[in-house]
Amino acid sequence: MSDTISYNNASNETPWHARRLGEDKARRNDHRSPFQRDRARILHSAAFRRLQAKTQVHGIGMNDFFRTRLTHSLEVSQIGTGIAAQLKRKYPHISHLLDSMSLIESLCLAHDIGHPPFGHGGEVALNYMMRNHGGFEGNGQTFRILARLEPYTEYWGMNLTRRTLLGILKYPALYHQLHIDLGQQEIKNHRQLKPSEWPPVKGLFDDDKDIYDWVLSALSTQDRNRFVSYKSTGVSVYPHLKTQYKSFDCSIMELADDIAYAVHDLEDAIVMGVVSPKQWQQDVASHLSLSEDEWLSNEFTHIAEKLFSHQHHLRKDAIGTLVNGFVTAIVIDEDHLFDEPLLRFNAKLEPAFADALTTLKNFVFKFVIRKPEIQMLEYKGQQIIMELFEAFESDPQRLLPLNTQERWQHAKENNLNEMRVIADYISGMTDEFAGRLHQQLFGPKSAGIFEISLER
């Protein structure tokens, strides 16, 4: 199930193997496929390493059990390749689209790279501070890091293949196309910021339009126009316009992410005592034990006994059973209005299992994410991010580290978005680094000058 296509012969290459910057490294006996090289670049990047210091769910536990964004990404990668293996077996007529496990691994490993410190609180804080400068959103930042910021090359980030960049596009449209001006009044004090009133636009930054255009240039005009189309969600919780389509590779990655989020964050919550068997029965088992799918109804009638057991091996068996259930219930949906196979096919869950996954995600959100103690930590992180941004914006050539000062100055001199440089710097911080830097700037007792390094 490894990469089986020979990519060294130029005749085998397609536009999806192309990179923005042509490469002729001529390294000794290097027979890796383009996607194996992409995976290596992601794994060895500083942005990927920083995920180890960004928690997946803030406030769950104070020991070494809880998941970080790094361990979450590794689990997403494992689930993603499991999905691909299942689909390759079920649908041999499109097995050629699933020849590279390295491609799926690359997408799953990279999918959280752009998320800022302090989770959703940090994302909303940066979005508010960038409200007049193109906004901020974690998935858009992931694309930006991969294609522009990570210093594998001078200007083109990791210089990944076009297909990998297409696969990371969860929301393939630009900020200005999707943003709806809600006419909100700007807050008078950072402490008044309510995330529900400043939801980030789920899309790419206008600053990265050139890379976005390059990725989509391999599509026909008809396919591109349909792929990047958008519509109103019709719900007040997300008032902006939203894209409608994603690529085949992205659909696999997104399913793997959702499964890992719902099942593994549930496991963390159970182990840390954040959720109880009674809550599980009321919000999950009572609904899913009545599922029209026989396997689901049977499992959710009895699985709580193992999930909430004090015997760890029983809980792990239950978690593995849930993951396997979702992975094996994924099917292929075909949209004949697309010519490009990477857009025509999408992976999706069977309806009963889609309902089950949504039920689990809602359970985690209600009893874990929305838990007041966790929201307090997000709120605190929100304040830290806004105060850091305000400080750097006030005097960037005094407070930013030297290499970021140079990027800021270059942006200003070339009529680019210099505020995006500040957002790049802050979003790349780990939770701990951002906290220490905030203490250095605003705490009553500052660290010594040599106790904190500003360079990233």
Side-chain angles (χ1 to χ4, degrees):
M1 190 56 68
S2 59
D3 297 19
T4 57
I5 302 174
S6 171
Y7 292 97
N8 293 325
N9 185 339
S11 63
N12 285 331
E13 293 191 354
T14 76
W16 297 113
H17 301 147
R19 302 181 189 276
R20 188 85 186 272
L21 177 66
E23 293 183 357
D24 185 21
K25 295 186 180 297
R27 289 177 174 169
R28 182 173 179 268
N29 295 327
D30 189 351
H31 299 293
R32 294 174 300 167
S33 75
F35 304 125
Q36 288 173 326
R37 294 177 185 178
D38 284 356
R39 179 186 60 187
R41 293 175 191 188
I42 292 164
L43 276 171
H44 291 288
S45 68
F48 182 72
R49 288 195 300 277
R50 289 188 191 117
L51 294 177
Q52 67 188 306
K54 297 185 180 186
T55 52
Q56 174 68 1
V57 177
H58 285 277
I60 288 194
M62 295 300 292
N63 59 33
D64 59 1
F65 177 87
F66 67 92
R67 288 170 165 87
T68 66
R69 285 198 182 271
L70 180 66
T71 57
H72 165 74
S73 298
L74 293 172
E75 289 171 335
V76 173
S77 177
Q78 188 273 327
I79 294 171
T81 54
I83 293 171
Q86 285 284 330
L87 294 179
K88 190 177 177 72
R89 181 184 61 81
K90 287 183 183 177
Y91 301 93
H93 67 289
I94 60 167
S95 63
H96 61 286
L97 297 178
L98 295 161
D99 270 334
S100 177
M101 291 299 109
S102 297
L103 169 66
I104 300 302
E105 286 182 301
S106 295
L107 300 178
C108 294
L109 292 171
H111 81 281
D112 263 356
I113 273 180
H115 284 266
F118 307 115
H120 183 61
E123 182 180 48
V124 170
L126 278 175
N127 182 54
Y128 177 77
M129 300 307 287
M130 291 290 289
R131 63 195 179 281
N132 298 321
H133 307 286
F136 180 89
E137 196 268 337
N139 296 289
Q141 189 68 16
T142 292
F143 182 79
R144 182 169 172 81
I145 289 171
L146 297 177
R148 193 184 296 282
L149 298 181
E150 186 67 25
Y152 185 88
T153 63
E154 188 173 5
Y155 300 112
W156 307 121
M158 298 186 200
N159 197 35
L160 303 179
T161 59
R162 180 184 270 115
R163 182 169 172 180
T164 298
L165 292 178
L166 178 74
I168 211 71
L169 289 180
K170 288 180 69 172
Y171 311 107
L174 297 170
Y175 176 89
H176 78 272
Q177 298 170 309
L178 303 173
H179 178 255
I180 298 294
D181 185 355
L182 304 176
Q184 310 103 305
Q185 293 293 317
E186 293 187 1
I187 58 175
K188 297 178 180 179
N189 185 291
H190 290 162
R191 295 179 180 179
Q192 297 175 335
L193 182 68
K194 295 181 180 178
S196 61
E197 296 178 357
W198 296 91
V201 171
K202 295 182 183 297
L204 301 180
F205 308 137
D206 292 346
D207 303 300
D208 300 318
K209 182 180 183 301
D210 58 325
I211 309 170
Y212 166 75
D213 286 340
W214 177 81
V215 172
L216 300 183
S217 64
L219 299 174
S220 68
T221 301
Q222 178 178 323
D223 274 0
R224 172 177 171 150
N225 288 343
R226 189 159 193 264
F227 181 57
V228 305
S229 63
Y230 41 85
K231 64 179 181 180
S232 172
T233 62
V235 294
S236 60
V237 292
Y238 184 76
H240 304 296
L241 301 178
K242 194 169 185 180
T243 57
Q244 304 180 77
Y245 303 102
K246 57 182 65 68
S247 72
F248 178 54
D249 303 323
C250 185
S251 70
I252 294 174
M253 176 268 284
E254 191 167 42
L255 280 171
D257 185 27
D258 284 350
I259 293 169
Y261 165 75
V263 179
H264 290 143
D265 286 3
L266 169 68
E267 180 184 15
D268 280 0
I270 290 173
V271 172
M272 301 305 172
V274 177
V275 295
S276 69
K278 182 179 179 181
Q279 292 167 334
W280 171 268
Q281 178 61 36
Q282 289 178 342
D283 282 62
V284 179
S286 62
H287 171 61
L288 295 182
S289 61
L290 302 176
S291 173
E292 62 186 32
D293 182 272
E294 185 179 351
W295 185 89
L296 283 172
S297 64
N298 182 63
E299 284 298 327
F300 281 93
T301 298
H302 305 290
I303 202 168
E305 299 169 13
K306 290 184 176 180
L307 279 176
F308 290 90
S309 172
H310 293 297
Q311 298 184 60
H312 296 329
H313 71 280
L314 294 178
R315 186 184 64 252
K316 294 304 295 186
D317 179 62
I319 292 296
T321 297
L322 287 176
V323 172
N324 174 261
F326 288 118
V327 167
T328 55
I330 293 173
V331 295
I332 294 292
D333 188 36
E334 185 171 1
D335 186 338
H336 293 279
L337 293 179
F338 282 115
D339 292 324
E340 169 56 55
L342 291 177
L343 305 186
R344 187 187 313 145
F345 300 103
N346 260 207
K348 70 173 187 177
L349 277 166
E350 295 171 6
F353 283 83
D355 174 60
L357 188 62
T358 298
T359 301
L360 289 183
K361 287 169 64 179
N362 289 342
F363 181 72
V364 171
F365 183 78
K366 177 179 178 180
F367 290 107
V368 181
I369 305 301
R370 295 302 301 173
K371 191 176 176 65
E373 294 87 342
I374 291 176
Q375 285 301 308
M376 286 181 187
L377 288 171
E378 279 204 2
Y379 177 80
K380 182 177 181 180
Q382 205 173 284
Q383 311 309 308
I384 290 173
I385 295 301
M386 287 190 285
E387 289 179 6
L388 287 177
F389 195 105
E390 188 176 55
F392 293 133
E393 182 184 15
S394 71
D395 200 345
Q397 291 179 296
R398 178 187 181 194
L399 298 176
L400 287 173
L402 294 178
N403 61 340
T404 310
Q405 281 186 36
E406 292 174 4
R407 287 189 58 229
W408 185 90
Q409 187 63 36
H410 176 268
K412 188 171 181 64
E413 290 173 354
N414 290 274
N415 200 31
L416 301 174
N417 186 357
E418 65 265 28
M419 293 304 159
R420 182 65 61 195
V421 176
I422 298 176
D424 289 339
Y425 176 53
I426 294 176
S427 69
M429 296 176 182
T430 64
D431 302 4
E432 182 182 358
F433 182 88
R436 283 191 287 121
L437 187 54
H438 184 271
Q439 174 67 22
Q440 173 79 354
L441 283 169
F442 301 109
K445 185 178 180 181
S446 296
I449 191 170
F450 297 112
E451 292 179 33
I452 185 167
S453 172
L454 296 181
E455 297 294 344
R456 306 301 288 159

